[in-house]
Amino acid sequence: MDIAVLASGRGSNLRAIAEAIDRGACTARVVAVVSDKADAAALAFASGRGVATAVVEPRAHASRALWDAALAETVASFSPDLVVLAGFMRIVGASMLARFPQRIVNVHPALLPSFPGAHGARDAIAKGVRISGCTVHLVDAGVDTGPILAQAAVPVLDGDDAARLAARVLRVEHRIFPMAVRWLVEGRVRVRDGRAEVGGVDASQRLLWEAAA
Ligand code: GRF
């Protein structure tokens, strides 16, 4: 299965997925890394591995819809079976969703449906929750609202700020995102009534607890 990864920044989730593929834990191929930012470290990582890259910058387009259409064209040019949003800090629009229906997967740094949006860790700290984590979900037209594939929990510790919590959450992202991508690659995911069902997976694997490090 061919995967296109969309990333805006440092690309540690891209690396986690690439490593899972390298060690044979996921039978797939990253065919392209596409970014909205020309200086994204994820692009350099991809180039270093000989993976094709592309940049589709919003400022080069007159509207969000036109940018989204250009993004969909660019991503489709690599003919991916699956689109993986790995730290892609923009909301994909109607063109992307139409081109890749239920074939776009995202990782979010909070336990959805709590704290959607761009500041999952900061918002969790501000609310004073004692447990947070991350969520892997299919992308739909809402913001972080699509069917949930996997979640992992981490404690929020006294003295945490958004950066410390985000770092702890990131470690579990690196564990469950490649796992959920593997489920999609293996065709184990079915969506019924807005809910994802994952076949052949022990339920206990779907929520991991990471002890305080
Ligand atoms: C992750 O925390 C992800 O959940 C969020 O952005 C961060 C991206 O990190 N959407 P990286 O670029 O994969 O290192």
Side-chain angles (χ1 to χ4, degrees):
M1 182 175 281
D2 289 349
I3 297 175
V5 176
L6 274 55
S8 300
R10 115 199 101 181
S12 70
N13 277 291
L14 163 64
R15 179 166 307 162
I17 290 166
E19 286 170 2
I21 291 171
D22 287 349
R23 64 172 185 270
C26 181
T27 311
R29 189 164 66 118
V30 177
V31 291
V33 173
V34 180
S35 185
D36 58 324
K37 293 199 168 134
D39 62 352
L43 293 171
F45 173 78
S47 302
R49 294 173 60 104
V51 172
T53 62
V55 177
V56 185
E57 286 182 308
R59 66 173 175 211
H61 300 278
S63 68
R64 202 181 90 78
L66 288 172
W67 166 77
D68 181 64
L71 181 68
E73 277 301 317
T74 299
V75 175
S77 72
F78 297 104
S79 304
D81 303 298
L82 182 66
V83 178
V84 174
L85 307 187
F88 190 62
M89 300 308 286
R90 291 187 187 273
I91 295 161
V92 298
S95 299
M96 281 291 292
L97 292 168
R99 190 77 79 128
F100 305 104
Q102 292 191 354
R103 304 307 290 166
I104 308 176
V105 61
N106 181 48
V107 65
H108 179 75
L111 292 176
L112 294 172
S114 292
F115 313 122
H119 303 288
R122 186 194 74 184
D123 295 347
I125 293 280
K127 193 69 184 174
V129 296
R130 306 312 300 177
I131 297 171
S132 192
C134 64
T135 304
V136 180
H137 65 95
L138 293 174
V139 174
D140 67 9
V143 177
D144 300 323
T145 52
I148 290 170
L149 297 176
Q151 293 186 301
V154 301
V156 181
L157 302 179
D158 291 343
D160 271 357
D161 57 14
R164 277 179 55 129
L165 177 59
R168 192 175 305 118
V169 168
L170 192 64
R171 286 203 294 275
V172 288
E173 292 183 36
H174 296 163
R175 288 170 58 186
I176 70 164
F177 202 19
M179 179 179 80
V181 167
R182 192 187 80 220
W183 296 341
L184 289 162
V185 165
E186 293 175 354
R188 296 208 225 152
V189 178
R190 296 278 171 277
V191 177
R192 203 184 305 171
D193 299 330
R195 194 172 172 279
E197 294 174 1
V198 184
V201 176
D202 185 286
S204 65
Q205 279 182 263
R206 297 179 62 181
L207 188 141
L208 306 178
W209 172 264
E210 177 84 338

